[in-house]
Amino acid sequence: MDLIDFLAGLGVLAGLVGVVVAVVPGLALQVIAVTIWAFEKGTPAGWVVLGLVLAIAATATILKYAFPHRKLREEGVPGWILVVGAVAAVIGLFVIPVIGAPIGFILTVYVFERVRRGPARAWPSTKTALKAVFTSMGIELAGGFAIVLVYFMGVFVT
């Protein structure tokens, strides 16, 4: 293992953390790290690893939006509610470190849904939005772990 393997490995692991901490673009960071690594290696195995990583990242990105979107549509929760909740989560992260993001997201979605749909449907809609976010994160995290696995297998092959 040389320096480029180590640095790209750090980038891939940092990307995995970025999947959970929404401030860092996780899969994108992983793809960038593996792309730099593949160009530096210049071996056929490196290009295969890069191709697999691109395919995993693209699939995970498509699935992380497709599955939750369908469930939200069935429940009647519009996508803009999630966007507003995500903005509130980022603001909450800075206002109340660590726990501000989930508090900001949940509270914002609940308040908007309460105004939009009434008190009886606000909490079920909020739970559906939370499930959608966790499903999306789970899909992206699975893709991130798959990229880590493919990258480290590629390091040992090259």
Side-chain angles (χ1 to χ4, degrees):
M1 180 181 266
D2 57 6
L3 182 61
I4 189 66
D5 294 336
F6 178 75
L7 293 176
L10 284 179
V12 167
L13 293 175
L16 193 60
V17 171
V19 168
V20 179
V21 181
V23 178
V24 179
L27 293 180
L29 184 58
Q30 288 181 314
V31 167
I32 290 167
V34 174
T35 301
I36 293 169
W37 173 81
F39 273 96
E40 284 295 317
K41 288 295 181 181
T43 64
W47 298 118
V48 168
V49 168
L50 177 60
L52 289 172
V53 164
L54 289 171
I56 292 167
T59 302
T61 301
I62 291 167
L63 293 178
K64 85 175 188 173
Y65 292 113
F67 283 138
H69 179 70
R70 183 181 49 139
K71 185 65 176 164
L72 288 171
R73 195 170 358 121
E74 290 171 4
E75 184 65 31
V77 179
W80 66 267
I81 292 281
L82 291 181
V83 172
V84 172
V87 169
V90 171
I91 293 169
L93 185 65
F94 293 106
V95 174
I96 308 170
V98 182
I99 62 169
I103 290 171
F105 180 82
I106 294 168
L107 191 60
T108 302
V109 170
Y110 179 77
V111 167
F112 272 83
E113 284 297 277
R114 186 174 171 94
V115 168
R116 193 175 78 84
R117 299 183 85 179
R121 293 294 311 147
W123 185 241
S125 293
T126 304
K127 287 193 310 187
T128 300
L130 281 171
K131 287 177 188 174
V133 168
F134 286 129
T135 300
S136 179
M137 271 179 77
I139 292 168
E140 191 173 6
L141 194 58
F145 276 118
I147 289 172
V148 168
L149 179 67
V150 168
Y151 170 72
F152 283 108
M153 287 174 50
V155 166
F156 291 114
V157 169
T158 58

